[in-house]
Amino acid sequence: MNSSSFDIVHVDDKLYLKFSGELTLYNLTSFESKIDSIDFSKEKIVVIDFMKLEFLDSAASIFIYNLEKRLLSYGIKVEILCENSDILDILHLVKHQKEKLTKIPYHKRRNIIEKIGESQYKNFIGFLSFMAFMGELFSNNMHYLTSFKNIRYKEIAFEINESAVKAIGIVAITSFLIGLVVAYQSAYQLKIYGANIFIVDMLGISILRELSPLITAIVIAGRSGSAFTAQIGAMKITQELDAMRTMGFDPYKFLVIPRIIALMITMPILIFISDVMAVIGGMVVANVDLNISITLFLDRFADVVAAKHFFIGIAKGPFFAFLIATIGIYRGLIVKDDTQSIGFNTTKSVVESIFAVIICDAIFSIAFTNLGI
Amino acid sequence: MENIIEVRDLVTSFGDRIVHDGLNLSIKEGEIYGLLGPSGCGKTTLLREMVMLQKSNSGSIKVLGHELNYIENEEAQQLRQKWGVLFQSGALFSSLKIKDNIALPLIEYTDLSKAMIDEIVEFKISIVGLKSEDANLYPSQISGGMKKKAALARSLAMDPKLLFLDEPTSGLDPISAREFDALILKLRNLLGLTIVMVSHDLQSIYDTLDSVAIIDEKKIVYEGNLNNIKSVKNEFMQTFFGKYNE
């Protein structure tokens, strides 16, 4: 850049701004400060002299354009001396572009009330769209159930395998460990009072009635609900859903309802497996820690734990399954045409379905207790 | 010749943004009809409205004699079997092999025997110029050009009268693109199809299209054949077609 220079010269009543060498975005700032320090108030005519300039880039041209405009607004005449056609071209181009340019509008900063309002409105719209989905699901369901011929056994069987049979292992292990942990913690307390045998009552009711359905639902929401969202979301992005619609394959019939039915069928079975595993976990601790033999444990279990607790736990299954599957699928269907959206909606689907399951469980809990069941 | 598609006074908007403001066009039987225009002018939207993926705000679209605004469920289902749609990225079902993708509509909608379906699939695969050993691959295992061909084979599975193509040659190399154009022409002559396509590929436009509709500024600025196209005063068309003809 040492070949570039900038001089200010007065000749007669004209102020010459002489540039030579190159004027680019690298050396623009140093010239700018010099130009800013000039007192233009006494000047009548300013000559921008590019006779010795070899190269001018677009950033510098914009600067020159702005300078010219500023001087004109002071009432100063501006002349540009230049014979290099490349430089003239770029000056002309910048001038032409700037004249039809409109400023990029900046978003106005919004205050907190507007932000709260907007997010609440979005939540409301989200809720409405979920309701619309449920409505469509219901009407499709009605249509679907008019004939047995419509039921897609193959898809349902496939989904049962994918979202339930393959989940048996993880459900069993989680439940076994939870049974173990709960029993272990309560064994410690019960020993203090010498109430060892009551571990059977405690485990029986808490596992069958609450813990097993909840654990199963949470594992399935994390495992299968998220998979629903990701699968359907990806299909939406690749236009597979559109392709299905144009071929007359209703996605509700092919993708949505089979998944919901599959999960509703298998959830009670998974809860049953979870019940068995968690009780075994408790039994192991009772045996090792509290010296309650397996026979004694099972006898006591049959005596004190009423069958209704088991049935309540199982009956929650289809409801939880419905919530997990519908939220997972709904989130998949509203994925937008970008890859970020899949991740966002998958996270949302897991969080929302676990939340919905817990709310549903709370409602059941209150309802059943008040009904005396 | 009879009009296969008629669009009358179509208005579409996304929120405040109006995309179509009173579109009119008619597509005759047996022609290859192109929808052209600058990007964002709503060509794909119009195509999506014609295949009932999207609803317009007002106006009417008539496809094969069915008024799409008032169509019944059953009727719509029948109509869907009479057309084929080729999406820009192919949109093959990623969980199915190529041959199963093509066989799917046949399995769902007909009671043909498995052997018969296999034969139809083989025929469709060869007619679009794929090799029979490609049939056992999954969509993720084949190239972009092959995907388009496979998707075309799928859209032809039910022997439709009407074919919608969304940018059939985009993303293809020039040689494959010309092959694809030739394929489309061949299929039209062979099967008597009516083809509606959105395209940006100038070569493909000149090679294949019988008529075009140009959408700009929310309206149709030109509808007709390619011979008179240069006489129209429109900025987009002059830049688009101008250079090529000089």
Side-chain angles (χ1 to χ4, degrees):
Chain A
M1 297 295 138
N2 38 17
S3 63
S4 311
S5 67
F6 168 57
D7 295 306
I8 306 165
V9 186
H10 266 103
V11 180
D12 305 331
D13 56 347
K14 292 178 181 173
L15 178 72
Y16 278 79
L17 304 176
K18 292 192 177 202
F19 295 90
S20 67
E22 292 181 342
L23 181 56
T24 64
L25 57 156
Y26 299 107
N27 55 14
L28 189 61
T29 339
S30 60
F31 296 155
E32 191 177 2
S33 54
K34 278 189 202 164
I35 291 173
D36 282 344
S37 65
I38 303 171
D39 180 14
F40 282 111
S41 57
K42 296 193 195 91
E43 307 300 334
K44 288 261 153 46
I45 299 171
V46 173
V47 182
I48 298 172
D49 186 351
F50 284 155
M51 295 302 277
K52 285 190 183 133
L53 194 72
E54 281 150 18
F55 180 73
L56 181 77
D57 72 357
S58 62
S61 320
I62 292 169
F63 170 72
I64 297 294
Y65 174 80
N66 288 341
L67 177 68
E68 190 183 342
K69 251 187 126 174
R70 200 176 85 206
L71 294 176
L72 285 173
S73 73
Y74 295 158
I76 302 170
K77 268 179 88 176
V78 180
E79 289 169 15
I80 293 178
L81 280 181
C82 181
E83 283 175 346
N84 186 330
S85 63
D86 288 347
I87 293 175
L88 283 175
D89 278 351
I90 191 149
L91 281 172
H92 181 74
L93 177 75
V94 165
K95 198 169 179 175
H96 182 68
Q97 284 297 323
K98 284 288 253 185
E99 271 161 8
K100 63 178 183 184
L101 207 72
T102 46
K103 281 251 186 256
I104 299 163
Y106 285 96
H107 280 292
K108 215 175 62 184
R109 274 174 151 258
R110 283 166 306 171
N111 63 29
I112 186 133
I113 293 172
E114 272 181 277
K115 280 182 190 159
I116 292 173
E118 193 185 324
S119 75
Q120 288 310 309
Y121 179 71
K122 274 189 185 152
N123 286 341
F124 177 65
I125 295 292
F127 177 73
L128 285 188
S129 98
F130 185 64
M131 287 295 126
F133 166 76
M134 294 296 265
E136 199 161 345
L137 182 67
F138 181 74
S139 73
N140 270 286
N141 233 336
M142 290 291 108
H143 198 68
Y144 188 75
L145 296 175
T146 48
S147 148
F148 280 112
K149 228 175 62 194
N150 284 335
I151 297 176
R152 306 198 63 86
Y153 300 102
K154 229 176 92 185
E155 272 80 2
I156 293 176
F158 178 79
E159 287 306 329
I160 286 179
N161 185 38
E162 278 299 306
S163 54
V165 175
K166 289 184 179 172
I168 287 178
I170 184 77
V171 168
I173 290 174
T174 321
S175 308
F176 179 76
L177 289 177
I178 292 283
L180 211 76
V181 169
V182 171
Y184 187 73
Q185 289 300 326
S186 32
Y188 182 76
Q189 303 292 327
L190 290 170
K191 251 193 282 184
I192 299 173
Y193 301 101
N196 293 10
I197 193 66
F198 287 103
I199 191 153
V200 181
D201 309 42
M202 218 199 84
L203 283 182
I205 294 172
S206 65
I207 286 174
L208 296 188
R209 207 176 158 117
E210 293 293 339
L211 286 178
S212 273
L214 271 183
I215 290 160
T216 314
I218 289 169
V219 170
I220 290 299
R223 193 193 165 282
S224 307
S226 61
F228 290 170
T229 310
Q231 284 163 357
I232 292 180
M235 290 182 81
K236 186 163 178 197
I237 288 186
T238 56
Q239 288 189 306
E240 282 176 49
L241 292 185
D242 286 345
M244 289 182 78
R245 285 199 184 98
T246 56
M247 292 162 83
F249 304 151
D250 188 2
Y252 279 87
K253 193 167 137 191
F254 278 73
L255 300 174
V256 177
I257 295 174
R259 280 179 166 77
I260 293 176
I261 292 181
L263 215 53
M264 285 175 80
I265 292 173
T266 48
M267 197 67 154
I269 302 169
L270 286 174
I271 292 176
F272 174 71
I273 292 167
S274 164
D275 282 344
V276 172
M277 292 308 290
V279 170
I280 290 176
M283 208 149 63
V284 169
V285 172
N287 199 353
V288 173
D289 210 22
L290 299 173
N291 293 321
I292 297 171
S293 72
I294 288 171
T295 335
L296 180 59
F297 188 97
L298 290 178
D299 282 346
R300 173 83 186 168
F301 201 90
D303 283 347
V304 294
V305 182
K308 67 174 184 183
H309 300 304
F310 169 73
F311 287 120
I312 286 175
I314 295 288
K316 287 174 183 175
F319 292 93
F320 290 176
F322 180 76
L323 288 172
I324 293 168
T326 44
I327 290 174
I329 291 163
Y330 165 71
R331 281 281 161 194
L333 288 173
I334 62 166
V335 163
K336 292 194 200 72
D337 280 351
D338 60 283
T339 37
Q340 296 242 326
S341 188
I342 288 194
F344 173 79
N345 278 301
T346 310
T347 316
K348 277 266 182 188
S349 111
V350 175
V351 173
E352 283 172 0
S353 49
I354 291 177
F355 183 66
V357 162
I358 289 172
I359 296 232
C360 177
D361 190 56
I363 293 170
F364 274 137
S365 198
I366 293 167
F368 285 141
T369 310
N370 283 335
L371 288 169
I373 306 173
Chain B
M1 264 183 284
E2 211 181 328
N3 283 343
I4 271 201
I5 298 180
E6 268 181 84
V7 177
R8 292 282 165 263
D9 304 321
L10 189 77
V11 178
T12 316
S13 65
F14 296 115
D16 294 336
R17 205 167 62 84
I18 295 169
V19 183
H20 302 139
D21 190 8
L23 282 195
N24 289 297
L25 55 88
S26 36
I27 298 171
K28 292 190 187 67
E29 196 179 339
E31 65 181 355
I32 302 185
Y33 191 96
L35 294 170
L36 273 60
S39 52
C41 73
K43 303 177 293 284
T44 302
T45 307
L46 180 59
L47 200 72
R48 288 173 64 88
E49 283 169 354
M50 286 179 185
V51 297
M52 295 191 283
L53 283 176
Q54 216 163 313
K55 286 236 162 172
S56 57
N57 296 35
S58 72
S60 81
I61 301 177
K62 229 181 199 180
V63 179
L64 295 166
H66 300 274
E67 168 59 63
L68 299 189
N69 280 339
Y70 306 106
I71 199 160
E72 297 270 323
N73 214 336
E74 291 290 307
E75 210 181 328
Q77 205 62 0
Q78 279 169 14
L79 180 58
R80 286 191 180 108
Q81 294 174 32
K82 288 186 197 151
W83 70 41
V85 184
L86 172 65
F87 288 89
Q88 206 172 338
S89 57
L92 292 164
F93 301 129
S94 44
S95 56
L96 301 177
K97 288 176 184 167
I98 301 302
K99 63 171 185 190
D100 297 327
N101 260 290
I102 301 167
L104 187 66
L106 296 165
I107 295 170
E108 289 300 327
Y109 289 129
T110 65
D111 42 15
L112 294 170
S113 68
K114 186 154 185 319
M116 188 65 219
I117 288 177
D118 284 347
E119 257 178 65
I120 296 174
V121 170
E122 273 165 30
F123 171 71
K124 303 284 165 179
I125 284 178
S126 72
I127 204 176
V128 298
L130 285 175
K131 292 190 209 77
S132 49
E133 57 263 34
D134 300 335
N136 282 319
L137 298 174
Y138 283 94
S140 56
Q141 297 169 315
I142 61 175
S143 72
M146 284 162 79
K147 263 183 210 165
K148 292 232 161 154
K149 285 179 182 170
L152 184 66
R154 184 182 68 185
S155 58
L156 292 171
M158 298 293 288
D159 283 327
K161 286 269 110 219
L162 181 59
L163 198 58
F164 294 95
L165 312 175
D166 189 0
E167 304 205 14
T169 53
S170 79
L172 296 185
D173 64 89
I175 296 167
S176 315
R178 296 297 78 78
E179 275 177 9
F180 206 88
D181 289 342
L183 178 63
I184 288 168
L185 279 173
K186 186 177 98 182
L187 289 175
R188 195 267 304 261
N189 298 335
L190 230 60
L191 309 171
L193 297 171
T194 306
I195 298 173
V196 182
M197 68 159 127
V198 169
S199 184
H200 281 303
D201 184 341
L202 207 48
Q203 185 70 50
S204 152
I205 289 166
Y206 276 106
D207 284 352
T208 56
L209 296 187
D210 299 322
S211 349
V212 288
I214 308 220
I215 309 174
D216 196 13
E217 304 285 323
K218 301 160 196 166
K219 290 192 190 304
I220 301 276
V221 291
Y222 177 80
E223 189 187 12
N225 65 20
L226 285 158
N227 303 334
N228 308 331
I229 206 150
K230 282 199 65 194
S231 61
V232 186
K233 298 245 177 307
N234 175 275
E235 198 186 336
F236 165 74
M237 283 175 62
Q238 279 169 353
T239 32
F240 195 74
F241 288 103
K243 277 180 192 157
Y244 189 79
N245 280 4
E246 248 118 65

